[in-house]
Amino acid sequence: MAIYRILTESEPSLREKARPVPKITPNIHKLLDNMADTMYNAKGVGLAAPQIGVGKRVIIADIGEGLHELINPVIVSQSVEEEYEVEGCLSVPERLGDVCRAVSVVLEGQNREGEALRIEAEGYLARVFQHETDHLDGLLFLDRADEVFLRTDVEDMDGGEL
Ligand code: NI
């Protein structure tokens, strides 16, 4: 078990495009385990490998319904319908933003065994997947938010950290 330091927005590597994982090795299993430890320790609901300084296309998410692990995730389709919600990010600790996202997405990738995985998600989980796949392309919610505000200015926030 290892808990990693989560990089914050001033870190240039967060802006780089992560590389695909060509082969699932024991190191990738270790990465997935360490990412889960780090996410749960930070009380997050999602984490992308670049947030702990690993430039690989690996994400995890758990909105309280169980852990999702995805290697080389791709959003293959998304709803036309969109909605606004307040979003946070473990890599942007001071601020929150109002971000428009597709209401539902279909995600394809591989699980830790290297088997093809297809997940249909809607609502909050769909939002988390969109947020995490953005991290793999060097994007932060700040780039998409219509409005960004200080966390201290927000009294109530639903959901958790992405
Ligand atoms: Ni994030």
Side-chain angles (χ1 to χ4, degrees), residues 1-161:
M1 166 161 171
I3 290 162
Y4 278 71
R5 184 173 72 88
I6 296 171
L7 305 184
T8 50
E9 54 177 311
S10 59
E11 199 77 44
S13 65
L14 278 180
R15 296 314 204 151
E16 290 168 8
K17 217 170 150 69
R19 297 176 306 279
V21 174
K23 189 169 177 242
I24 293 161
T25 60
N27 272 341
I28 296 296
H29 289 168
K30 207 160 101 183
L31 172 64
L32 286 165
D33 294 341
N34 291 339
M35 284 174 66
D37 289 340
T38 302
M39 178 183 76
Y40 290 126
N41 178 64
K43 300 194 175 5
V45 295
L47 193 72
Q51 290 182 275
I52 58 165
V54 177
K56 296 184 190 309
R57 301 190 83 80
V58 177
I59 64 170
I60 61 169
D62 185 350
I63 61 163
E65 301 168 349
L67 180 64
H68 294 278
E69 299 176 322
L70 276 137
I71 296 155
N72 300 322
V74 177
I75 293 172
V76 292
S77 70
Q78 62 183 59
S79 61
V80 175
E81 193 191 342
E82 298 178 317
E83 63 186 359
Y84 279 92
E85 199 64 67
V86 174
E87 248 177 70
C89 178
L90 293 170
S91 296
V92 187
E94 309 282 314
R95 286 175 289 165
L96 298 169
D98 209 9
V99 186
C100 190
R101 302 273 190 191
V103 171
S104 62
V105 296
V106 179
L107 210 67
E108 287 182 359
Q110 292 151 269
N111 66 13
R112 65 159 61 213
E113 272 74 49
E115 297 157 349
L117 197 63
R118 183 183 166 90
I119 302 175
E120 292 176 28
E122 59 174 45
Y124 190 35
L125 185 60
R127 175 169 297 269
V128 175
F129 283 142
Q130 290 170 85
H131 178 115
E132 301 312 330
T133 51
D134 270 355
H135 273 301
L136 303 182
D137 292 327
L139 290 170
L140 299 176
F141 80 82
L142 300 171
D143 308 322
R144 295 199 186 271
D146 279 17
E147 213 186 326
V148 175
F149 27 86
L150 286 175
R151 188 173 283 270
T152 48
D153 291 343
V154 184
E155 288 183 358
D156 298 308
M157 187 202 162
D158 296 333
E161 303 306 322

